Amino acid sequence: MDRAAGMTTGIEKCPTGIPGLDEITAGGLPRGRPTLVCGGAGCGKTLLGMEFLIRGALDCNEPGVFVTFEETPPELTRNVASLGVDLDALVASGRMAIKHIQLDRSEIEVAGDYDLEGLFIQLGNAIDSVGARRIVLDTIETLFGSFPNETILRAELQRLFRWLKARGLTAVITGERGDRTYTRHGLEEYVADCVIVLDHRIVDQIATRRVRVVKYRGSVHGPDEYPFLIDADGISVLPITSLNLTHAVSSERVPSGVHRLDALLGGGGYYRGSSILVSGTAGTGKSSLAASFVDAACRRGERCLYLALEESPAQIVRNMRSIGIDLQPWVDGGKLQILPSRSTACGLELHLATIHRAVNRFHPQVVVIDPISNLTTIGSALEVRAMLTRLIDFLKSLQITALFTSLNHAGNTLEATDTHISSLADTWLLLRDVESNGERNRLLYLLKSRGMAHSNQMREFLLTDRGIELRDVYLGTAGVLTGTARQVQESTEKAETLVRAQEVQARRRDIERRREVVEARILMLRAESAAEMLEAETLIAQAERSEVLLETDRSARATLRKDEAAAGERA
């Protein structure tokens, strides 16, 4: 068992049902004990108390009583109706009672002493009417504001709290914040077992709501200030202390939506659950790259949440159609939700709480924030970095792939961002303009991609009516050429290649002609040689025949002489 669990073993908790508040209080409010909720006007004290009762009645089967010393039941009913809750129905079903009590000083002052018995009787009747296990007193200043003596005030506060504890009620008591104390009298926080302070502050004309658990007897709790949000669903608190670096990682790849970019990323795209930063100057195509990623994710059947900080949903859809990306079908089909919000509409913490709630509602696999650099208008670089650090940790804990765009200002170092979160990003893409020959062209750099082999080569980044195209850059003696200069150079190279090809063909034809001439000469020489050989053979044959004839003739003459000699002898 960890330290936190060990310290909360002896404290029974009563869940509030308010998202986030139960987390920072380690399970809820102390059951059977009073909790003081204090803050200035309009900070949400009454709403927190009412939601505590509503969630108890609806989710925990614990009836409750709301005791108001200021607003009437019809006023409370109308106010809570904005949250989509019908108080009259809860009252009619016996799960909640609303008691409006107006007390004059004369009613609790008897012969110079103060007596709360009349109040206790009214409270007891309301509690018994529904069998309440929860109670809210709103506000304590109305009840004790007329007490002039602090000693008497402290005694009566303790008496009230003891009475509530004796009834086993989990109580929420609201109080107005004093000038230098958590409450107007500065005593209630010492008597209550748990003290929660709500704050609604204005910094640079931007409103932010925060909640802090000042003390919690017998239990650990989140000690920091946490942003909270009030909207149509009530209160939600964004706890941030639980975020850490122990989240799981995935080896699954998700395509970027640009085929050649996936090739630069080792052939598979981004890691699922990673954070991607796309930075660059204005007009370099950051939003287009984000839209390509969203389109690819929706085609895979994944849900995408697109937080637009400077464009409306209709404008984004229209602009992306110019590059062949139609996001409207994904919006209509529920795969894509585009949430527009001006960065100056609220503070950093409220933006964080809004994103937290949107993610928990929509359950996306992909989140895009375009651009995060707008947040620097409502906070310093360090504040924005702290906020984005918590956001990245939150998204990673849910294995959500996040893509952030960031505007770099011209003249600044391009390999840096105004929000200084480049070190937090797992993959960093830099888009930049290159000016040459009277035109501006785009280049894409893959500066880093953790955990994967990736290319170190830049690519020319083109926005076409068929989407994004990446082309190999031309490297020549004049450096990197893009756009028209590249086209001219490529045309020149093609012409030179054609000329060289023609020269090669002409040389080949000349060689062929020479070969044919040589072969013809060889044939002629062979023919001449054959004729000469034939003539020589003929002469040789004639000489041989002549020699035979001569030999035959000599033989005949010799024979004739012999015959003539023999005849002479006979004669």
Side-chain angles (χ1 to χ4, degrees), residues 260-452:
R260 293 208 67 186
L261 177 55
D262 291 340
L264 293 177
L265 293 165
Y270 311 119
Y271 280 128
R272 182 174 296 282
S274 63
S275 56
I276 302 104
L277 174 64
V278 181
S279 63
T281 53
T284 50
K286 301 180 297 297
S287 297
S288 300
L289 200 58
S292 297
F293 183 46
V294 167
D295 183 61
C298 291
R299 291 181 185 277
R300 295 192 300 271
E302 298 180 4
R303 297 163 70 89
C304 299
L305 181 65
Y306 194 116
L307 302 167
L309 298 182
E310 63 182 13
E311 291 183 283
S312 68
Q315 186 176 3
I316 292 173
V317 171
R318 182 204 64 187
N319 293 347
M320 292 306 109
R321 286 197 183 109
S322 66
I323 60 172
I325 299 175
D326 190 0
L327 299 178
Q328 191 61 48
W330 309 127
V331 175
D332 297 338
K335 293 293 184 184
L336 172 61
Q337 186 177 81
I338 303 177
L339 297 181
S341 176
R342 285 291 184 189
S343 58
T344 53
C346 57
L348 289 173
E349 302 299 343
L350 190 54
H351 275 296
L352 186 60
T354 302
I355 297 170
H356 190 280
R357 168 165 283 190
V359 168
N360 288 333
R361 286 178 178 173
F362 191 60
H363 303 291
Q365 286 80 41
V366 169
V367 169
V368 172
I369 302 182
D370 179 32
I372 57 172
S373 48
N374 278 21
L375 297 175
T376 57
T377 60
I378 56 174
S380 66
L382 291 178
E383 291 172 336
V384 174
R385 178 185 169 87
M387 176 263 195
L388 292 175
T389 300
R390 300 197 297 269
L391 176 59
I392 290 173
D393 284 346
F394 168 65
L395 296 177
K396 284 190 173 185
S397 69
L398 299 176
Q399 283 291 285
I400 294 174
T401 309
L403 187 148
F404 308 100
T405 68
S406 179
L407 175 66
N408 290 346
H409 296 288
N412 293 347
T413 302
L414 292 178
E415 295 187 15
T417 60
D418 292 344
T419 54
H420 302 290
I421 69 157
S422 56
S423 61
L424 301 176
D426 298 305
T427 299
W428 185 8
L429 303 174
L430 172 63
L431 303 177
R432 61 172 299 186
D433 288 321
V434 177
E435 297 184 8
S436 62
N437 299 317
E439 63 183 20
R440 302 179 71 181
N441 297 289
R442 303 177 180 91
L443 289 177
L444 180 143
Y445 299 77
L446 178 53
L447 297 184
K448 74 171 182 177
S449 192
R450 291 171 177 159
M452 67 178 70

Side-chain angles (χ1 to χ4, degrees), residues 451-464:
M452 67 178 70
H454 57 276
S455 175
N456 63 350
Q457 297 180 351
M458 66 182 71
R459 292 288 184 268
E460 186 172 0
F461 185 88
L462 301 178
L463 297 177
T464 72

Side-chain angles (χ1 to χ4, degrees), residues 54-74:
I54 292 172
R55 299 304 174 195
L58 296 178
D59 303 333
C60 302
N61 195 28
E62 294 186 1
V65 174
F66 192 95
V67 181
T68 171
F69 300 107
E70 295 179 344
E71 295 180 278
T72 64

Side-chain angles (χ1 to χ4, degrees), residues 218-237:
S219 173
V220 295
H221 58 275
D224 301 323
E225 286 188 326
Y226 305 91
F228 73 95
L229 181 65
I230 297 179
D231 60 8
D233 293 331
I235 294 177
S236 62
V237 181

